[in-house]
Amino acid sequence: MPASPSTARAINDRLALQLLQQHGPLTATQLKTLTGLSRPTVADLVERLQGAGLIHVVGESGAVRRGPNAKLYGIVADRAHLAALDVRTGSVSVVVADLLGATLAEATLPIADGTGTGPAVDQAVALLERTAREAGSVPLHSVGIGAPGLIDPASGELRDSSGLPAWHRSLVRVLQQRLPATVLVENETNLAAVAEHRAGAALDRETFVLIWLGQGIGAAVMLDGKLRQGASGGAGEIGFLPVPGVAGLPSAVDCEGGFFSLAGSAAVRELAARHGIAGEGPTEAAAVAAVRAALEAGGRGEPFLDELADRLALGAAAVVSVLDPGCVLLAGAIGEAGGAPLAARVEERLALMSPLRTEVRAGSLGDGAVLRGALLTARDAAQDALFAPGG
């Protein structure tokens, strides 16, 4: 059925806003060319969007003569502010940005081991509020949160998970109750995949699997440009994947004995130590330092890197055999540290283990991918609301 006039206007307005987001400021003539709409239709939508406070004149184009046709229109970036949180076992990172995603303020706060649930939540909330004030007086419209653990696909809430701090779940609940903003929570690995797909190593891929290598281990499944969370929100929980080479089997409440025991940061650090490669600092930092040291050590570091690639290929092969994604990203702090050399080693082993051709790449956004994905999620939510008719 043909669209009603109001629906057609809404579609045209949304298209124009998307083009302004992608290309930056445009003239009415450029909008006409890019949309294929008539000049009167473009003039009407420009007037509507200006009246709604969504776009404004930001300058003039030097490509045309001065006058109405020279006006450059851009999105009103401070129409709303966005926030993103990366919630880790021992820290919270926050970034506040404008409607176009430009960073306005950011901060990180360690949460000490043994901090009670109430104090930990209070510290995290205070960090967000302080960072939002530093960004300006514009209220927060949407907040994206990345956290480890399972997200209930029905309620959108972070589920209770053994081995993770209780304050994680309480923080999400308190923010949802206290903030007038929309608060969205997603698994950290899924958000990393969103970021790598939109702004990183998977820009040219609609289907891929991201394996997160850090303190913990997980995977995100992107099929045909869409995240797949699974029936219970647990798609990609490969830390629980039973694999050879470990003692025992994982349980419903503990991934020890699964792929985590081969490829988690503690396992990587121990493997490096057996090869005479030491890394300083906490577990994840030590594993990252060991991978970097092995790469710098040349031939002396190759046995460790080869064995690490053997381990990673086991988990990757299981995912590839089921999903055939064509591409696997090694992300997180350890994946970033290993870079292209480690990815190439894993790809070589996959080619020997599976008939399914699979490219292995290193993620390009490193440990910051979670925060980037959370911000993109918040931005999408805000634009969906503000760019809609009557938004």
Side-chain angles (χ1 to χ4, degrees), residues 277-279 287-298 300-301 304-305:
I277 299 174
V288 169
V291 172
R292 288 177 176 157
L295 288 169
E296 293 171 359
R300 189 174 67 85
F304 161 64
L305 293 172

Side-chain angles (χ1 to χ4, degrees), residues 18-329:
Q18 287 175 340
L19 290 169
L20 289 168
Q21 177 185 319
Q22 294 167 5
H23 298 280
L26 297 169
T27 65
T29 300
Q30 289 169 326
L31 281 171
K32 174 183 177 296
T33 300
L34 290 170
T35 61
L37 299 173
S38 68
R39 189 174 299 277
T41 299
V42 169
D44 287 343
L45 72 83
V46 166
E47 184 177 353
R48 279 196 305 274
L49 294 175
Q50 282 187 292
L54 290 172
I55 68 172
H56 60 167
V57 177
V58 297
E60 292 186 341
S61 170
V64 296
R65 69 179 188 275
R66 297 178 64 83
N69 291 335
K71 291 181 178 179
L72 280 168
Y73 298 95
I75 290 175
V76 180
D78 60 358
R79 170 70 183 269
H81 281 179
L82 319 168
L85 284 78
D86 182 359
V87 180
R88 303 292 176 98
T89 302
S91 68
V92 177
S93 296
V94 177
V95 61
V96 177
D98 64 22
L99 189 56
L100 291 176
T103 298
L104 303 173
E106 54 189 331
T108 298
L109 178 72
I111 305 292
D113 289 342
T115 303
T117 297
V121 170
D122 290 341
Q123 291 176 34
V125 172
L127 179 70
L128 173 59
E129 292 175 340
R130 184 167 61 251
T131 309
R133 286 195 300 271
E134 292 174 0
S137 59
V138 178
L140 293 177
H141 183 283
S142 301
V143 178
I145 303 174
L150 300 178
I151 309 300
D152 189 313
S155 66
E157 295 181 350
L158 185 64
R159 291 169 50 184
D160 285 321
S161 300
S162 61
L164 295 175
W167 63 266
H168 283 191
R169 194 163 191 265
S170 297
L171 172 61
V172 173
R173 188 183 308 113
V174 168
L175 290 177
Q176 289 172 332
Q177 293 171 349
R178 187 177 301 184
L179 294 179
T182 298
V183 177
L184 307 164
V185 61
E186 181 56 88
N187 173 267
E188 58 181 356
T189 305
N190 285 344
L191 290 178
V194 170
E196 293 285 1
H197 183 226
R198 302 263 292 273
L203 272 170
D204 60 338
R205 290 282 185 171
E206 291 295 286
T207 295
F208 66 94
V209 169
L210 178 144
I211 298 180
W212 183 262
L213 304 171
Q215 182 70 28
I217 190 164
V221 179
M222 185 78 72
L223 300 179
D224 300 323
K226 295 183 179 180
L227 275 175
R228 306 295 177 173
Q229 287 96 341
S232 61
E237 287 292 326
I238 61 170
F240 290 88
L241 178 72
V243 290
V246 296
L249 292 170
S251 70
V253 296
D254 190 353
C255 57
E256 287 290 343
F259 186 49
F260 170 81
S261 296
L262 283 184
S265 58
V268 173
R269 182 185 62 179
E270 292 168 5
L271 176 64
R274 288 208 305 271
H275 284 276
I277 299 174
E280 301 297 327
T283 304
E284 182 178 356
V288 169
V291 172
R292 288 177 176 157
L295 288 169
E296 293 171 359
R300 189 174 67 85
E302 288 190 4
F304 161 64
L305 293 172
D306 286 341
E307 189 168 350
L308 176 58
D310 289 340
R311 293 183 174 196
L312 297 179
L314 282 176
V319 172
V320 166
S321 66
V322 174
L323 297 175
D324 187 19
C327 180
V328 170
L329 295 188

